[in-house]
Amino acid sequence: MRRAGRVVREVLELLRSQVKPGVTTMDLEQTAANRLDELGVKAAFKGYGGYPCVLCASVNSEVVHGIPSTKRVLKEGDIVSLDFGAFVEGYCGDAAITVPVGVIDKETARLLKVTEASLHAGIAAVRPGATLGDVGAAVQGVVESEGFSVVRDFVGHGIGVRMHEDPQVPNFGEVGRGMKLRAGMVIAIEPMVNAGKPDVMVLDDGWTAVAKDGSMSAHFEHTVAVTATGARVLTE
Ligand code: MF3
Ligand code: CO
């Protein structure tokens, strides 16, 4: 799974370096698809439930599952969440980053910082004997103490020979509640955070989830293994 995670990280960093005003989300899709071809690696998203691309690229108030498009031109001040997964030797890696396009305003920069920090707080709660409620509470605590909202309609997940396995991994919860983690489990932790209210709706394309109030939304994700002593981040 670390091998799959390395490929996912390589592609995300390649995409990050390509993000600038004037680039379309389809340009990013093509970069990701080309690199997968070169590596001989299988995309995790394309064909999943009919999803048409290897990449999800969600701009500004789009929360997750934005479909790359030649018409979606990134402009200065935008943020774009890049969510990408791959299978290597039968195992899946899944990760996401949200990237600023040029210079962004201070409040949006804070949203990105807090969302990434909430992911790391969730990871820090991972160890054998900890519960999924501990992980969710850690994520939620960081987000809400900064005045932002955790999206409830989408959650993280177990991951292994399939992208989505049990259990669900919510980004909210109560300490001590939920399934206990054990060494050897692997989960994808993926906070989706809205600057405004937590409510989302899915657009008519059947995929793109947007913040109902139109507020900015950020998303960071890692695939994380539970080890004897804590967590190992497989997509770093
Ligand atoms: N990272 C997303 C997830 O964990 C990717 C799924 S997009 C899909 O659910 F198109 F593959 F569904
Ligand atoms: Co995921």
Side-chain angles (χ1 to χ4, degrees), residues 53-71:
C53 292
V54 304
L55 178 72
C56 295
S58 309
V59 182
N60 295 342
S61 60
E62 294 170 359
V63 178
V64 285
H65 303 165
I67 302 172
S69 162
T70 55
K71 295 194 194 87

PDB file of all heavy atoms in Angstrom, residues 53-71:
ATOM      1  N   CYS A  53     -13.349  10.351 -14.927  1.00  0.00           N
ATOM      2  CA  CYS A  53     -11.964  10.847 -14.976  1.00  0.00           C
ATOM      3  C   CYS A  53     -11.078  10.162 -13.944  1.00  0.00           C
ATOM      4  O   CYS A  53     -11.566   9.469 -13.063  1.00  0.00           O
ATOM      5  CB  CYS A  53     -11.961  12.356 -14.738  1.00  0.00           C
ATOM      6  SG  CYS A  53     -12.712  13.292 -16.090  1.00  0.00           S
ATOM      7  N   VAL A  54      -9.749  10.378 -14.068  1.00  0.00           N
ATOM      8  CA  VAL A  54      -8.822   9.823 -13.065  1.00  0.00           C
ATOM      9  C   VAL A  54      -8.694  10.757 -11.859  1.00  0.00           C
ATOM     10  O   VAL A  54      -8.207  10.348 -10.806  1.00  0.00           O
ATOM     11  CB  VAL A  54      -7.413   9.541 -13.659  1.00  0.00           C
ATOM     12  CG1 VAL A  54      -7.513   8.613 -14.864  1.00  0.00           C
ATOM     13  CG2 VAL A  54      -6.657  10.809 -14.008  1.00  0.00           C
ATOM     14  N   LEU A  55      -9.108  12.027 -12.046  1.00  0.00           N
ATOM     15  CA  LEU A  55      -8.904  13.064 -11.032  1.00  0.00           C
ATOM     16  C   LEU A  55     -10.236  13.708 -10.667  1.00  0.00           C
ATOM     17  O   LEU A  55     -11.101  13.870 -11.529  1.00  0.00           O
ATOM     18  CB  LEU A  55      -7.970  14.140 -11.628  1.00  0.00           C
ATOM     19  CG  LEU A  55      -7.648  15.364 -10.777  1.00  0.00           C
ATOM     20  CD1 LEU A  55      -6.710  14.983  -9.631  1.00  0.00           C
ATOM     21  CD2 LEU A  55      -7.010  16.456 -11.648  1.00  0.00           C
ATOM     22  N   CYS A  56     -10.381  14.089  -9.407  1.00  0.00           N
ATOM     23  CA  CYS A  56     -11.456  15.013  -9.031  1.00  0.00           C
ATOM     24  C   CYS A  56     -10.805  16.371  -8.794  1.00  0.00           C
ATOM     25  O   CYS A  56      -9.813  16.465  -8.049  1.00  0.00           O
ATOM     26  CB  CYS A  56     -12.163  14.569  -7.754  1.00  0.00           C
ATOM     27  SG  CYS A  56     -13.061  13.019  -7.893  1.00  0.00           S
ATOM     28  N   ALA A  57     -11.326  17.414  -9.429  1.00  0.00           N
ATOM     29  CA  ALA A  57     -10.788  18.773  -9.286  1.00  0.00           C
ATOM     30  C   ALA A  57     -11.940  19.695  -8.919  1.00  0.00           C
ATOM     31  O   ALA A  57     -12.799  19.982  -9.748  1.00  0.00           O
ATOM     32  CB  ALA A  57     -10.128  19.213 -10.586  1.00  0.00           C
ATOM     33  N   SER A  58     -11.967  20.135  -7.670  1.00  0.00           N
ATOM     34  CA  SER A  58     -13.112  20.876  -7.127  1.00  0.00           C
ATOM     35  C   SER A  58     -12.671  22.291  -6.788  1.00  0.00           C
ATOM     36  O   SER A  58     -11.779  22.483  -5.964  1.00  0.00           O
ATOM     37  CB  SER A  58     -13.655  20.167  -5.888  1.00  0.00           C
ATOM     38  OG  SER A  58     -13.873  18.781  -6.181  1.00  0.00           O
ATOM     39  N   VAL A  59     -13.279  23.268  -7.451  1.00  0.00           N
ATOM     40  CA  VAL A  59     -12.837  24.665  -7.376  1.00  0.00           C
ATOM     41  C   VAL A  59     -13.720  25.466  -6.408  1.00  0.00           C
ATOM     42  O   VAL A  59     -14.950  25.372  -6.463  1.00  0.00           O
ATOM     43  CB  VAL A  59     -12.871  25.306  -8.778  1.00  0.00           C
ATOM     44  CG1 VAL A  59     -12.374  26.756  -8.730  1.00  0.00           C
ATOM     45  CG2 VAL A  59     -12.041  24.493  -9.768  1.00  0.00           C
ATOM     46  N   ASN A  60     -13.092  26.250  -5.541  1.00  0.00           N
ATOM     47  CA  ASN A  60     -13.762  27.222  -4.664  1.00  0.00           C
ATOM     48  C   ASN A  60     -14.863  26.575  -3.814  1.00  0.00           C
ATOM     49  O   ASN A  60     -14.559  25.804  -2.912  1.00  0.00           O
ATOM     50  CB  ASN A  60     -14.272  28.417  -5.466  1.00  0.00           C
ATOM     51  CG  ASN A  60     -13.106  29.211  -6.069  1.00  0.00           C
ATOM     52  OD1 ASN A  60     -11.977  29.064  -5.621  1.00  0.00           O
ATOM     53  ND2 ASN A  60     -13.378  30.021  -7.072  1.00  0.00           N
ATOM     54  N   SER A  61     -16.151  26.870  -4.103  1.00  0.00           N
ATOM     55  CA  SER A  61     -17.226  26.327  -3.254  1.00  0.00           C
ATOM     56  C   SER A  61     -17.565  24.877  -3.606  1.00  0.00           C
ATOM     57  O   SER A  61     -18.429  24.284  -2.965  1.00  0.00           O
ATOM     58  CB  SER A  61     -18.474  27.196  -3.377  1.00  0.00           C
ATOM     59  OG  SER A  61     -18.913  27.208  -4.712  1.00  0.00           O
ATOM     60  N   GLU A  62     -16.901  24.309  -4.612  1.00  0.00           N
ATOM     61  CA  GLU A  62     -17.075  22.876  -4.873  1.00  0.00           C
ATOM     62  C   GLU A  62     -16.355  22.112  -3.770  1.00  0.00           C
ATOM     63  O   GLU A  62     -15.190  22.398  -3.465  1.00  0.00           O
ATOM     64  CB  GLU A  62     -16.530  22.508  -6.253  1.00  0.00           C
ATOM     65  CG  GLU A  62     -17.344  23.160  -7.378  1.00  0.00           C
ATOM     66  CD  GLU A  62     -16.726  23.031  -8.763  1.00  0.00           C
ATOM     67  OE1 GLU A  62     -15.632  22.438  -8.879  1.00  0.00           O
ATOM     68  OE2 GLU A  62     -17.339  23.545  -9.718  1.00  0.00           O
ATOM     69  N   VAL A  63     -17.048  21.165  -3.164  1.00  0.00           N
ATOM     70  CA  VAL A  63     -16.521  20.472  -1.990  1.00  0.00           C
ATOM     71  C   VAL A  63     -15.669  19.277  -2.413  1.00  0.00           C
ATOM     72  O   VAL A  63     -14.508  19.139  -2.021  1.00  0.00           O
ATOM     73  CB  VAL A  63     -17.684  20.025  -1.075  1.00  0.00           C
ATOM     74  CG1 VAL A  63     -17.169  19.252   0.134  1.00  0.00           C
ATOM     75  CG2 VAL A  63     -18.495  21.233  -0.629  1.00  0.00           C
ATOM     76  N   VAL A  64     -16.252  18.385  -3.184  1.00  0.00           N
ATOM     77  CA  VAL A  64     -15.565  17.196  -3.716  1.00  0.00           C
ATOM     78  C   VAL A  64     -16.202  16.793  -5.042  1.00  0.00           C
ATOM     79  O   VAL A  64     -17.274  17.274  -5.408  1.00  0.00           O
ATOM     80  CB  VAL A  64     -15.643  15.965  -2.767  1.00  0.00           C
ATOM     81  CG1 VAL A  64     -14.704  16.109  -1.578  1.00  0.00           C
ATOM     82  CG2 VAL A  64     -17.067  15.687  -2.316  1.00  0.00           C
ATOM     83  N   HIS A  65     -15.515  15.877  -5.745  1.00  0.00           N
ATOM     84  CA  HIS A  65     -16.038  15.198  -6.942  1.00  0.00           C
ATOM     85  C   HIS A  65     -16.296  16.133  -8.123  1.00  0.00           C
ATOM     86  O   HIS A  65     -17.146  15.839  -8.966  1.00  0.00           O
ATOM     87  CB  HIS A  65     -17.309  14.392  -6.610  1.00  0.00           C
ATOM     88  CG  HIS A  65     -17.109  13.375  -5.538  1.00  0.00           C
ATOM     89  ND1 HIS A  65     -18.136  12.755  -4.872  1.00  0.00           N
ATOM     90  CD2 HIS A  65     -15.974  12.866  -5.009  1.00  0.00           C
ATOM     91  CE1 HIS A  65     -17.652  11.921  -3.963  1.00  0.00           C
ATOM     92  NE2 HIS A  65     -16.341  11.969  -4.029  1.00  0.00           N
ATOM     93  N   GLY A  66     -15.542  17.264  -8.177  1.00  0.00           N
ATOM     94  CA  GLY A  66     -15.602  18.109  -9.372  1.00  0.00           C
ATOM     95  C   GLY A  66     -15.021  17.365 -10.560  1.00  0.00           C
ATOM     96  O   GLY A  66     -13.949  16.761 -10.462  1.00  0.00           O
ATOM     97  N   ILE A  67     -15.736  17.381 -11.674  1.00  0.00           N
ATOM     98  CA  ILE A  67     -15.294  16.663 -12.878  1.00  0.00           C
ATOM     99  C   ILE A  67     -14.434  17.602 -13.726  1.00  0.00           C
ATOM    100  O   ILE A  67     -14.882  18.700 -14.068  1.00  0.00           O
ATOM    101  CB  ILE A  67     -16.511  16.174 -13.702  1.00  0.00           C
ATOM    102  CG1 ILE A  67     -17.402  15.262 -12.856  1.00  0.00           C
ATOM    103  CG2 ILE A  67     -16.045  15.456 -14.960  1.00  0.00           C
ATOM    104  CD1 ILE A  67     -18.728  14.900 -13.532  1.00  0.00           C
ATOM    105  N   PRO A  68     -13.211  17.195 -14.045  1.00  0.00           N
ATOM    106  CA  PRO A  68     -12.341  18.039 -14.865  1.00  0.00           C
ATOM    107  C   PRO A  68     -13.022  18.451 -16.173  1.00  0.00           C
ATOM    108  O   PRO A  68     -13.744  17.658 -16.775  1.00  0.00           O
ATOM    109  CB  PRO A  68     -11.122  17.146 -15.130  1.00  0.00           C
ATOM    110  CG  PRO A  68     -11.055  16.279 -13.912  1.00  0.00           C
ATOM    111  CD  PRO A  68     -12.493  15.985 -13.576  1.00  0.00           C
ATOM    112  N   SER A  69     -12.758  19.701 -16.580  1.00  0.00           N
ATOM    113  CA  SER A  69     -13.406  20.251 -17.769  1.00  0.00           C
ATOM    114  C   SER A  69     -12.470  21.226 -18.473  1.00  0.00           C
ATOM    115  O   SER A  69     -11.748  21.985 -17.814  1.00  0.00           O
ATOM    116  CB  SER A  69     -14.696  20.955 -17.354  1.00  0.00           C
ATOM    117  OG  SER A  69     -15.139  21.827 -18.375  1.00  0.00           O
ATOM    118  N   THR A  70     -12.539  21.219 -19.804  1.00  0.00           N
ATOM    119  CA  THR A  70     -11.750  22.186 -20.590  1.00  0.00           C
ATOM    120  C   THR A  70     -12.289  23.599 -20.376  1.00  0.00           C
ATOM    121  O   THR A  70     -11.610  24.570 -20.658  1.00  0.00           O
ATOM    122  CB  THR A  70     -11.828  21.862 -22.092  1.00  0.00           C
ATOM    123  OG1 THR A  70     -13.212  21.809 -22.475  1.00  0.00           O
ATOM    124  CG2 THR A  70     -11.180  20.523 -22.405  1.00  0.00           C
ATOM    125  N   LYS A  71     -13.529  23.694 -19.886  1.00  0.00           N
ATOM    126  CA  LYS A  71     -14.157  25.011 -19.704  1.00  0.00           C
ATOM    127  C   LYS A  71     -13.827  25.617 -18.348  1.00  0.00           C
ATOM    128  O   LYS A  71     -14.110  26.788 -18.107  1.00  0.00           O
ATOM    129  CB  LYS A  71     -15.677  24.880 -19.838  1.00  0.00           C
ATOM    130  CG  LYS A  71     -16.114  24.453 -21.228  1.00  0.00           C
ATOM    131  CD  LYS A  71     -17.611  24.661 -21.423  1.00  0.00           C
ATOM    132  CE  LYS A  71     -18.118  23.930 -22.651  1.00  0.00           C
ATOM    133  NZ  LYS A  71     -18.498  22.517 -22.376  1.00  0.00           N
TER     134      LYS A  71
END
